[in-house]
Amino acid sequence: MKIKAEYIWIDGYEPTASLRSKTKVLNNKILSVSELPSWGFDGSSTLQAEGGDSDCKLKPVWMCPDPLRGGDNILVMCEVCNPDGSPHKSNSRAALVELADKFKDHKPWFGIEQEYTLMDGKQPAGWPEEGFPERPQGPYYCSVGSENVAARGMVEDHLDLCLEAGFEISGINAEVMLGQWEYQVGPLPALEVCDQLWVARWLLERIGEDYGLTVELHPKPIKGDWNGSGAHINYSTESMRAEGGISVINEACEKLGKEVEKHIAAYGANNDERLTGDHETCSINEFKYGVSDRGASIRIPMDVANEGRGYLEDRRPASNVDPYKACAALIDTTCS
Ligand code: ADP
Ligand code: MN
Ligand code: MN
Ligand code: MN
């Protein structure tokens, strides 16, 4: 019985890459990613190679059931490699593999809150064809009722698909701007959270095709008094989660305060438009951390402060962040 394996990879567009995929038909059911053959694609069509020497390699690194095609069909996350098998320069996962291994004794966990805006043509879903909704933001966050909510059907379908694929989704919510939503992946180790997040993004775009809606990951899709979209990263190591871990959390915040540029560079493009100091953000030019402070770069949740252990929330990553880069930066800065 033949099966379909959707090979998914990240292209070479800058500053923000997109997902690509194509289907490989295989002769047998696949039980583990190591059974999957590597494959290739035309890198000259994805800004990953020149036309004269265009072959790039797809190395399968992670798989899950395909909740759309069902049966034994699978989704396969791939790393892009050069013909000799070395990581392509657009391949940000390979570096995370090394760091995650180097610091594995710290047992880092990540929970990523992916915010996004569903667009119906040029306007966010639920918006009038031109101009702005009658009411400013305020009622839309975590709202119910057709005057407050748009595109819930697609959002619910996406959640179901992610759960059927076996992802560690911890929740969803309507966001502050009408048409803006969030799902959370984690807590999970670095590679798992990132692979799941990328494939969850692929599933969202894929079902957007069926709903006629597109997924906008720009961190400030609507200028003015409308919230931007982030991808807060909740982060802990074993010692932060253990008794008295708050001191390790504070130390990590101090280390992060000394590496602001490195982190902002890893946290997504156009983030300066979002990190203004308004709309529950800290200015991109400032660094501060604090308990329960949604205007800080790093928030220590109230429960964590009360219990004296847990995790920190880095609020700076943009919705279009490459999680491989962001998680690598967090491990590198705080574990060494
Ligand atoms: P917010 O109040 O900022 O909207 P959310 O509930 O949306 O928070 O997201 C919090 C995320 O933190 C969830 O994905 C959750 O799984 C994750 N999380 C919880 N505990 C930890 C931990 N110890 N380490 C890392 N992430 C964690
Ligand atoms: Mn959230
Ligand atoms: Mn949010
Ligand atoms: Mn958050």
Side-chain angles (χ1 to χ4, degrees):
M1 181 64 183
K2 295 201 188 288
I3 67 132
K4 294 172 235 174
E6 191 71 12
Y7 277 48
I8 300 170
W9 76 96
I10 298 164
D11 72 15
Y13 277 66
E14 288 181 3
T16 303
S18 293
L19 287 164
R20 308 280 179 138
S21 73
K22 57 177 182 167
T23 309
K24 191 168 189 60
V25 175
L26 298 166
N27 288 328
N28 306 92
K29 178 176 171 160
I30 301 291
L31 296 174
S32 116
V33 75
S34 61
E35 295 170 22
L36 284 162
S38 59
W39 204 11
F41 68 97
D42 167 16
S44 71
S45 298
T46 60
L47 296 187
Q48 284 163 308
E50 302 294 329
D53 183 13
S54 67
D55 284 347
C56 286
K57 212 170 159 176
L58 289 175
K59 176 181 158 195
V61 288
W62 185 82
M63 63 177 252
C64 66
D66 181 342
L68 284 162
R69 287 171 168 157
D72 291 330
N73 301 308
I74 52 177
L75 302 176
V76 181
M77 191 66 203
C78 299
E79 282 187 25
V80 175
C81 293
N82 300 311
D84 68 3
S86 60
H88 187 270
K89 69 175 178 347
S90 65
N91 175 348
S92 51
R93 189 182 186 277
L96 180 60
V97 172
E98 277 188 27
L99 272 174
D101 184 57
K102 183 171 168 195
F103 294 113
K104 61 176 181 294
D105 294 344
H106 292 253
K107 301 196 169 57
W109 291 356
F110 300 82
I112 305 182
E113 305 169 50
Q114 175 71 66
E115 293 179 342
Y116 60 96
T117 305
L118 292 175
M119 302 294 291
D120 187 355
K122 289 197 168 70
Q123 292 275 83
W127 285 42
E129 261 171 54
E130 278 177 40
F132 300 94
E134 274 172 39
R135 293 167 305 155
Q137 24 180 65
Y140 308 118
Y141 171 74
C142 293
S143 61
V144 62
S146 57
E147 73 280 31
N148 294 324
V149 166
R152 194 191 290 277
M154 174 167 160
V155 172
E156 289 279 334
D157 273 4
H158 177 251
L159 174 60
D160 285 339
L161 292 170
C162 287
L163 294 175
E164 279 170 49
F167 298 173
E168 191 67 34
I169 301 287
S170 68
I172 60 171
N173 60 272
E175 268 303 336
V176 174
M177 184 174 77
L178 179 61
Q180 188 186 40
W181 289 86
E182 167 178 319
Y183 58 93
Q184 303 108 31
V185 186
L188 286 169
L191 287 166
E192 283 87 336
V193 82
C194 295
D195 292 337
Q196 290 190 17
L197 181 60
W198 273 115
V199 177
R201 285 175 173 178
W202 185 89
L203 279 170
L204 189 63
E205 293 210 62
R206 171 62 191 78
I207 58 159
E209 295 172 12
D210 301 344
Y211 281 86
L213 297 173
T214 53
V215 182
E216 180 56 79
L217 288 187
H218 192 289
K220 191 73 178 179
I222 306 291
K223 314 303 164 209
D225 206 10
W226 299 91
N227 270 35
S229 303
H232 300 163
I233 301 189
N234 301 274
Y235 170 64
S236 63
T237 58
E238 190 172 49
S239 57
M240 294 180 193
R241 297 186 293 269
E243 184 96 40
I246 192 77
S247 64
V248 187
I249 292 174
N250 284 325
E251 267 169 49
C253 291
E254 290 293 330
K255 286 182 181 172
L256 288 163
K258 296 195 175 76
E259 297 285 359
V260 171
E261 270 173 48
K262 163 179 146 185
H263 281 260
I264 292 296
Y267 284 178
N270 305 111
N271 208 9
D272 53 319
E273 295 178 36
R274 165 179 163 260
L275 296 180
T276 58
D278 292 328
H279 304 110
E280 301 168 55
T281 70
C282 181
S283 161
I284 197 164
N285 302 312
E286 250 186 274
F287 177 87
K288 50 181 183 173
Y289 66 95
V291 174
S292 209
D293 185 355
R294 285 173 198 271
S297 320
I298 308 231
R299 176 176 69 105
I300 297 168
M302 178 67 77
D303 283 353
V304 172
N306 289 342
E307 284 180 33
R309 59 176 166 154
Y311 62 98
L312 59 85
E313 178 194 43
D314 194 333
R315 300 177 59 78
R316 296 171 294 172
S319 42
N320 59 5
V321 67
D322 176 348
Y324 296 130
K325 289 184 189 161
C327 292
L330 279 164
I331 296 175
D332 191 43
T333 300
T334 62
C335 294
S336 48

